[in-house]
Amino acid sequence: MEGVDYLAPERNNAQFDVDEMKIVWAGSREAFEVSDRIARLVASDPNFRKDDRTTLGRKELFKNTLRKAAYAWKRIIELRLNEEEAKRLRSFIDQPAFTDLHWGMFVPAIKGQGTDEQQEKWLPLAYKMQIIGCYAQTELGHGSNVQGLETTATFDPQTDEFVIHSPTLTSCKWWPGGLGKISTHGVIYARLITDGKDHGVHGFIVQLRSLDDHLPLPGITVGDIGMKFGNAAYNTMDNGVLRFDHVRIPRNQMLMRVSQVTREGKYVQSNVPRQLVYGTMVFVRQTIVSDASTALSRAVCIATRYSAVRRQFGSHNGSPETQVINYKTQQARLFPLLASAYAFRFVGEWLKWLYMDVTKRLEAKDFSTLPEAHACTAGLKSLTTSATADGIEECRKLCGGHGYLCSSGLPELFAVYVPACTYEGDNIVLLLQVARHLMKTVSQLGSGKMPVGTTAYMGRAEHLMQCRSDVKQAKDWLRPNVVLEAFEARAFRMSVACAKNLTKFSSPEEGFQELSADLVEAAVAHCQLIVVSKFIEKLQQDIPGKGVKQQLEILCSVYALFLLHKHHGDFLSTGCITPTQASLANEQLRSLYSQVRPNAIALVDAFNYTDHYLGSVLGRYDGNVYPKLYEEAWKDPLNDSVVPDGYHEYVRPMLKQQLRNARL
Ligand SMILES: Cc1cc2nc3c(=O)[nH]c(=O)nc-3n(C[C@H](O)[C@H](O)[C@H](O)COP(=O)(O)OP(=O)(O)OC[C@H]3O[C@@H](n4cnc5c(N)ncnc54)[C@H](O)[C@@H]3O)c2cc1C
């Protein structure tokens, strides 16, 4: 029945003020109002319809993406939306497009690496979308190892130009989003060569297509790299291939904030420090972490609502069957993901603060915390995107068979999200960078150099090596200091163990290669500690609203104790806790799940997602799942006719034993 809220009894059980939780989730009342207004705007506009997306062919899908991007830009101008509102609008449209790379990578690259004059020239054009840009770093043969890129930018002093060239097949740019069919310009990464000397990889602004007829400029071969994983999903994006044949660009199109090439062809470092690039990196990764909380919360919202609707077994004398959300196994799979969504939200919020802190320090020429900030954002990007990709897939399984239908929204969400584990740095490669930083920090402890930021806890080395948890009963695990100390001791001891083992090898590099799997685990332990500690810090703030803080305290404990349970081998083998304490943590966790249960629906309502944005029949706000699933099935193009196309050619001859005469 339309208009009936089938989840109302669940909502009535909530023990906290959902409206206040919505503000906490959004970050502030103002952020909530902007987000709520823009989400409704998109949901109510039929131009942003997306329910037929997974049945469209690639060309139709792509054209549909271009239409939405153009229409969105028109609305942004008509409604005079500010930068934040425009960003929200693009995200609620929920369809990856060339604009993501234009605003998310091209513009920040020019801002971060361009000189003042370059910014004055290029940014106004980009802001008005008079040029459209992409970010082209990866090549067919080279991704993670950026220093291995082969594209060359050779300075020609005769003409005051760079010659951009792809010397081999493997040097073709491969993957950049927006490149394949749309970008007019790109920030292209190439090896800078002056006077026969290779100065390593630098960024250049290169025009790729004519601004009149959109044809590639002379010397440029460009196209799309082909279909990607899943239906619709990232196939709305034109990830591209690009080959240069001695393409000339003026010297002033090298991004010269950090290093320059003079008119005479001399390579000079400017007085601006190289660390400046860290600022852009922290900004981009902060966005990725915040996107992780969004993607995971969407999946969790769908799985939680559907778990309250779905019933299996347990009927007695004609009573309804049991809601699957009441099964302890369902709770033990679902509620840690719910807690993770909140945890990632708060660590993302903290990263916004970190970005501002990094920017301020850069302005004051204080570079002391930069390597730590860099390592920490790399690690958090890796941790949150991996957990989110796995979490979305778990949510699909939590929805049983129906989760496999595109109309559940989960297959597309997974397909569109999972490359986040690879782009902006492969997650394992990033964790290895974190591990290098941790090993360096440990090695400097004896020299009196105090670790900073998220590694500051390592400064209490002696205590962390000796401390033993004093947990005696299950509820002791609810004390934040107890949890924090266990996570700190585990992370530190794992790092110290790796550092010790490294000394057994004849060269540090050989040791690093050999121990890389252990090093990755140490890095994960460190990153999990960061997320736990930022959740705990969040709870030290004043959080208004009936019951809101209590719910967050429960979720924080769920997040931490779930990790402790999952990785209890680490905690036990490093001697941070005893087997008895590990089982007390598990006992406490079970009790926490029972406390989450009555609030589960309200906790996902607090994400404030419209049905349009969720794009899921299973996750509908009103819980009216079955009639809508039934309706949705009939909309499939296969059901346009009762007898399918192909029956007369292929099925009938088989049934009638006439295949021998059939023309196949
Ligand atoms: C959807 C999507 C969009 C993208 N958009 C862009 C874009 O806009 N612009 C752009 O320039 N690029 C883009 N990329 C490319 C992306 O940045 C690269 O794919 C990424 O950096 C990983 O590099 P790779 O593909 O070379 O992987 P590889 O580095 O080849 O990784 C392959 C395997 O080797 C492992 N590995 C690699 N190095 C090490 C090591 N040192 N130690 C241990 N293991 C290692 C990895 O963990 C992985 O398992 C995009 C990619 C995708 C999937």
Side-chain angles (χ1 to χ4, degrees), residues 101 135 137-138 143-144 175-177 234 239 419 422-423 426 428-429 432:
L101 278 301
Y135 181 93
Q137 184 175 297
T138 309
S144 300
W175 269 120
Y234 224 81
N239 292 93
T422 306
Y423 57 58
D426 170 86
I428 294 297
V429 175
L432 288 168

Side-chain angles (χ1 to χ4, degrees), residues 366-561:
D366 167 9
F367 309 120
S368 58
T369 63
L370 282 178
E372 186 276 324
H374 181 236
C376 140
T377 53
L380 289 175
K381 182 271 176 187
S382 172
L383 183 86
T384 57
T385 55
S386 290
T388 296
D390 293 349
I392 298 170
E393 169 61 2
E394 187 64 17
C395 286
R396 183 190 69 72
K397 293 184 212 154
L398 283 160
C399 293
H402 299 343
Y404 192 63
L405 277 172
C406 282
S407 59
S408 77
L410 291 165
E412 199 187 358
L413 185 59
F414 179 73
V416 86
Y417 187 76
V418 77
C421 298
T422 306
Y423 57 58
E424 267 308 295
D426 170 86
N427 280 354
I428 294 297
V429 175
L430 291 182
L431 287 173
L432 288 168
Q433 286 176 12
V434 177
R436 272 189 202 277
H437 179 72
L438 294 177
M439 292 307 101
K440 195 168 168 197
T441 309
V442 170
S443 73
Q444 289 173 341
L445 285 176
S447 69
K449 188 166 186 243
M450 283 311 281
V452 293
T454 56
T455 52
Y457 70 100
M458 293 187 163
R460 289 181 284 113
E462 209 173 313
H463 172 74
L464 292 177
M465 288 308 283
Q466 288 164 6
C467 63
R468 297 279 176 272
S469 174
D470 63 357
V471 164
K472 294 190 182 56
Q473 35 183 340
K475 70 174 178 8
D476 289 340
W477 279 117
L478 297 178
R479 285 166 31 214
N481 287 347
V482 169
V483 168
L484 209 49
E485 188 175 86
F487 273 79
E488 285 179 347
R490 167 224 187 190
F492 186 60
R493 291 177 197 189
M494 287 173 78
S495 280
V496 169
C498 284
K500 273 192 191 146
N501 287 337
L502 281 175
T503 61
K504 294 176 190 160
F505 290 85
S506 52
S507 85
E509 211 33 55
E510 186 200 338
F512 201 87
Q513 294 303 330
E514 204 52 43
L515 297 177
S516 54
D518 296 350
L519 285 157
V520 162
E521 284 175 19
V524 167
H526 171 70
C527 297
Q528 288 176 343
L529 162 65
I530 302 176
V531 183
V532 168
S533 68
K534 295 305 159 196
F535 205 152
I536 291 174
E537 267 175 33
K538 173 79 190 174
L539 294 172
Q540 283 154 4
Q541 292 173 9
D542 181 28
I543 303 176
K546 179 188 152 255
V548 172
K549 194 166 186 169
Q550 285 85 329
Q551 289 306 316
L552 293 176
E553 280 165 354
I554 293 170
L555 290 175
C556 180
S557 295
V558 168
Y559 181 70
L561 297 185

Side-chain angles (χ1 to χ4, degrees), residues 25 285-297 300 336-352 379-392 417 527-528 530-532 534-535 559 562-563:
W25 177 262
R285 291 195 179 143
Q286 163 245 306
T287 318
I288 294 183
V289 171
S290 150
D291 289 348
S293 79
T294 305
L296 183 56
S297 58
V300 165
L337 298 176
L338 172 63
S340 304
Y342 275 91
F344 297 169
R345 193 72 177 177
F346 299 139
V347 83
E349 212 171 73
W350 171 74
L351 278 177
K352 275 190 197 142
L380 289 175
K381 182 271 176 187
S382 172
L383 183 86
T384 57
T385 55
S386 290
T388 296
D390 293 349
I392 298 170
Y417 187 76
C527 297
Q528 288 176 343
I530 302 176
V531 183
V532 168
K534 295 305 159 196
F535 205 152
Y559 181 70
F562 167 74
L563 289 181

